[in-house]
Amino acid sequence: MAFFCQHCGTGLPVGARFCSNCGAVVTACAYVPGRPLVRPIIGRQIAGVCIGLSQAYGWDLTLVRILTVLGIIFTSGLVAVAYLACWIGIPEEPVRLP
Ligand SMILES: [Zn+2]
């Protein structure tokens, strides 16, 4: 499992709190197996967190959304806080010009 700085893309040791290259704070949402964890512009419902997670980890998008909604309901907002953390922590997908 690779681990990259969200700001500059520098490879980091797993568990690093700060990027050794640009000094950015690294969040728990920054684990990147294979493809970058981003919030896609296309296909998002709210902030693109669910689709970003499903694409990065190969999870089923519908399942991720259902679990997110159920999690928010049954954890008294704990998952909502995690969702917000991912919203802030996961960078938006770079806009690709045609
Ligand atoms: Zn960096």
Side-chain angles (χ1 to χ4, degrees):
M1 179 179 285
F3 190 58
F4 296 99
C5 172
Q6 301 164 352
H7 295 266
C8 66
T10 300
L12 302 171
V14 172
R17 299 285 308 275
F18 299 94
C19 173
S20 56
N21 183 51
C22 70
V25 176
V26 178
T27 72
C29 292
Y31 288 98
V32 183
R35 62 159 285 165
L37 179 53
V38 294
R39 294 183 288 108
I41 306 293
I42 299 166
R44 60 168 53 179
Q45 288 295 320
I46 302 172
V49 171
C50 290
I51 192 170
L53 288 173
S54 72
Q55 287 182 356
Y57 296 103
W59 297 340
D60 184 80
L61 176 57
T62 308
L63 190 65
V64 172
R65 284 188 170 141
I66 291 171
L67 288 176
T68 301
V69 172
L70 289 178
I72 288 171
I73 294 169
F74 288 106
T75 61
S76 306
L78 253 179
V79 170
V81 173
Y83 186 95
L84 285 174
C86 288
W87 190 339
I88 296 166
I90 300 173
E92 198 152 78
E93 183 179 44
V95 176
R96 293 190 188 87
L97 298 173

